[in-house]
Amino acid sequence: MARFGNSVALLRNREFLSLAGTAFARSQAYSTIIIALALYADAFGTSGFIEGLWGTAFASVQLLIVLPLGRKIDTGNAKRWLLAGLLINVLVFAGYMFIGDPVNAEIVALLKSVGAGALWTTNGSIQVVLVRMLQGIGASILWITGSTVVGQISPDDESGRWLGSYNQVAAFSSLAGDLVGGLLLSMYDPLQSRVVFIVLAAVTMVAFVLVYFELRDNPGGGVDDPEAQSGIGTIKKLLKLPMLRSLVLFRLSFSVGKMAVIIFLPILARTEFGIDAFAIGWILAGGKLTKSLLQGYVGDLTDQIGDRAKFVAAGALVYGFGIALIPLSLPAEETMGRFYLGYFGHGQELGGGFLVLFLAYAILGIGDSIRLPASMALFVEEGEKYDSVASAMSLRSISWKIGQTAGPLGVGLIKDFVGTVQAFLTASAFVVFATGVFWLTHTMSGESEPAVAD
């Protein structure tokens, strides 16, 4: 029987604990910075296009590096890649410390004096774009390497449990980023103070120490004949697998809808309703709480029940329903009662818009909890058929990044020229379309997964 305690028990494994530390540091930083983006959007008065560019900048560099990175991990020492990714994230936080800082004028002048003026700018919104690009590199390294190592060192009959629990730690960390990060951002303006990013850097260095001392050297990867498995050749072989093709097509469209929500929902909360960082964190916490509670449990269920494709489809449909609820926050702001949210001597009066956004994001978390463990386990299983788990995870990431690159820009333009409601409904439509394509291609392939015996 699947149990929530299984995920906690895995933390007694020191190697899993070190990998969970990387997930914790990565996810906490990601969710905290997503809230910071809403504050930047409000402070800089950005358009939907620029806000979308913040998402596209993050994804575009990942799209470029994810395939060669996967092969490097397959053929190299994954531990070193994890350590490198953590150090890159520390540099990212240093970059955020200088967003909007007056010292940027001096930095640009110095760079121009050596012919490198194009490397930085005094425009705050463009500074965010540049730092987001570096953040995308660090996030790719940590995500692909961490997921690959967890999948490869886990026992053969417990991959769903390990991957589900790994994601559960990331979800809990993201929840901490929403609440603690939101609180810190409400107390320390990121354009005026560096406290928030110093805290994120400290958490990342703790994860670095855990990996350095607790994770075995060269965990996973290191295939015997790297020359026989070039990146493109491996991807072509993997794409001959029917299940993998269906999953790739699914993620191409699904990512458009999901990434639009991740970028624009906090911005909607800030710019339309004036919700502060702490309250935005609570909105996002609705989804993270359901994810952190349910993912490990659902991972166990996928191991026991099998037929993971049904979990992927069901979770995606739940997610699409959650997105469709977001536009209801606009009329709800005035029609529902108002209440006061207080914290540490501060607070804010909130309306129905907050409540609807909280509910919608909680439903999104349920959808992800159903979908993610099954999706990741399927990619690991398919990759193991060619001794190329990291390449399979890279393909998983590539298919996501294509939609993640185009989605925020496209939805941002819809927001600018059509409207906010239409932007979110478009995102929901992409998710429903992705689910239909996945189920159709999976069914037509005639491939089914047998149930796993208890």
Side-chain angles (χ1 to χ4, degrees):
M1 179 180 179
R3 296 180 291 112
F4 291 108
N6 285 349
S7 299
V8 177
L10 270 180
L11 293 175
R12 300 191 188 104
N13 183 302
R14 299 184 76 84
E15 286 197 301
F16 181 82
L17 177 63
S18 68
L19 293 166
T22 67
F24 187 94
R26 170 179 54 82
S27 296
Q28 184 185 40
Y30 184 85
S31 59
T32 300
I33 289 171
I34 284 293
I35 299 175
L37 293 182
L39 304 185
Y40 292 143
D42 191 36
F44 298 143
T46 52
S47 65
F49 176 79
I50 291 295
E51 294 158 7
L53 190 59
W54 292 345
T56 295
F58 180 85
S60 59
V61 293
Q62 293 182 314
L63 180 61
L64 292 175
I65 71 169
V66 69
L67 178 56
L69 175 62
R71 290 312 302 157
K72 288 289 186 181
I73 295 168
D74 272 336
T75 60
N77 190 328
K79 179 176 180 176
R80 294 176 184 173
W81 283 102
L82 281 174
L83 295 173
L86 291 167
L87 291 178
I88 289 174
N89 268 12
V90 173
L91 292 177
V92 167
F93 304 139
Y96 278 113
M97 291 180 191
F98 290 98
I99 298 294
D101 195 299
V103 76
N104 285 302
E106 298 177 17
I107 295 175
V108 171
L110 178 62
L111 290 172
K112 284 182 177 179
S113 69
V114 295
L119 294 178
W120 198 237
T121 177
T122 56
N123 185 307
S125 59
I126 302 302
Q127 290 168 1
V128 175
V129 172
L130 296 175
V131 179
R132 286 283 286 173
M133 291 174 70
L134 183 60
Q135 184 187 355
I137 295 173
S140 273
I141 294 173
L142 293 178
W143 170 244
I144 295 174
T145 312
S147 300
T148 298
V149 174
V150 169
Q152 291 191 329
I153 71 174
S154 64
D156 291 340
D157 59 347
E158 295 186 14
S159 62
R161 176 193 177 197
W162 277 59
L163 288 165
S165 298
Y166 176 77
N167 282 326
Q168 194 171 14
V169 170
F172 176 79
S173 167
S174 193
L175 173 64
D178 292 333
L179 299 180
V180 179
L183 176 62
L184 289 174
L185 286 167
S186 66
M187 298 173 65
Y188 302 99
D189 186 336
L191 292 172
Q192 304 294 329
S193 172
R194 298 174 178 174
V195 171
V196 176
F197 302 114
I198 290 173
V199 171
L200 293 177
V203 171
T204 302
M205 289 309 300
V206 170
F208 182 94
V209 171
L210 277 174
V211 170
Y212 186 85
F213 286 106
E214 301 297 343
L215 185 62
R216 74 186 76 168
D217 193 49
N218 198 23
V223 298
D224 295 332
D225 187 8
E227 295 300 323
Q229 296 196 43
S230 66
I232 299 298
T234 302
I235 292 299
K236 288 181 178 179
K237 288 195 295 183
L238 289 171
L239 285 174
K240 292 179 181 178
L241 300 171
M243 175 57 77
L244 211 60
R245 285 200 306 270
S246 297
L247 287 166
V248 166
L249 289 172
F250 165 74
R251 289 174 64 80
L252 284 169
S253 295
F254 184 86
S255 59
V256 172
K258 178 167 182 175
M259 294 315 302
V261 171
I262 289 175
I263 295 294
F264 289 108
L265 186 144
I267 293 174
L268 171 72
R270 179 69 175 187
T271 58
E272 289 287 341
F273 307 128
I275 299 176
D276 69 13
F278 183 64
I280 292 174
W282 274 100
I283 291 172
L284 303 182
K288 308 300 173 57
L289 181 61
T290 50
K291 270 174 98 170
S292 63
L293 291 176
L294 296 177
Q295 255 193 111
Y297 177 77
V298 176
D300 279 355
L301 285 179
T302 62
D303 288 335
Q304 294 179 18
I305 298 173
D307 204 358
R308 292 186 170 102
K310 290 181 179 178
F311 284 86
V312 173
L317 289 176
V318 172
Y319 202 96
F321 173 70
I323 297 176
L325 292 179
I326 293 173
L328 296 179
S329 64
L330 296 170
E333 176 67 8
E334 300 300 330
T335 58
M336 298 177 67
R338 304 187 70 81
F339 65 97
Y340 185 81
L341 178 65
Y343 55 94
F344 301 108
H346 303 277
Q348 181 181 21
E349 186 179 75
L350 300 168
F354 172 89
L355 296 175
V356 171
L357 292 178
F358 182 89
L359 173 63
Y361 219 80
I363 293 173
L364 298 181
I366 294 173
D368 266 349
S369 296
I370 298 170
R371 176 185 63 85
L372 270 173
S375 172
M376 290 185 66
L378 284 172
F379 270 96
V380 169
E381 290 172 1
E382 298 296 292
E384 286 175 341
K385 294 177 181 179
Y386 290 114
D387 193 22
S388 299
V389 175
S391 288
M393 298 304 287
S394 292
L395 185 57
R396 181 177 189 269
S397 189
I398 288 171
S399 58
W400 188 267
K401 299 310 172 190
I402 293 174
Q404 187 181 0
T405 299
L409 275 180
V411 173
L413 288 171
I414 293 174
K415 179 187 173 198
D416 283 340
F417 294 104
V418 183
T420 299
V421 171
Q422 291 83 354
F424 283 107
L425 290 179
T426 299
S428 179
F430 266 99
V431 169
V432 174
F433 174 76
T435 308
V437 170
F438 169 72
W439 194 253
L440 179 64
T441 56
H442 168 62
T443 303
M444 290 178 62
S445 72
E447 185 174 277
S448 61
E449 183 183 13
V452 179
D454 290 332

